[in-house]
Amino acid sequence: MKRSLAILSLLSLAACGADGEPVRPTASSSVTMSSSGVSVGTAVGLRRGPVSLALGMGS
């Protein structure tokens, strides 16, 4: 729990720009239809220069 809070604090600090240029969040989603059904996917992330961090979820 403490580790998650520390990571969230660092991401918030980076996103607000207090340590330099602000980092812009990214988001994407997709809906795919196939013969086996419909699947939905979502991803959120941060990008700064050549480095990006993303977290995705889908079925």
Side-chain angles (χ1 to χ4, degrees), residues 2-28:
K2 289 182 181 182
R3 183 180 291 179
S4 298
L5 185 59
I7 291 171
L8 182 61
S9 297
L10 288 174
L11 289 176
S12 297
L13 179 65
C16 78
D19 64 338
E21 181 179 327
V23 178
R24 293 194 178 204
T26 60
S28 65

Side-chain angles (χ1 to χ4, degrees), residues 35-59:
S35 59
S36 60
V38 177
S39 62
V40 179
T42 303
V44 294
L46 298 171
R47 169 167 254 150
R48 184 174 187 174
V51 178
S52 64
L53 172 68
L55 175 65
M57 185 172 26
S59 57

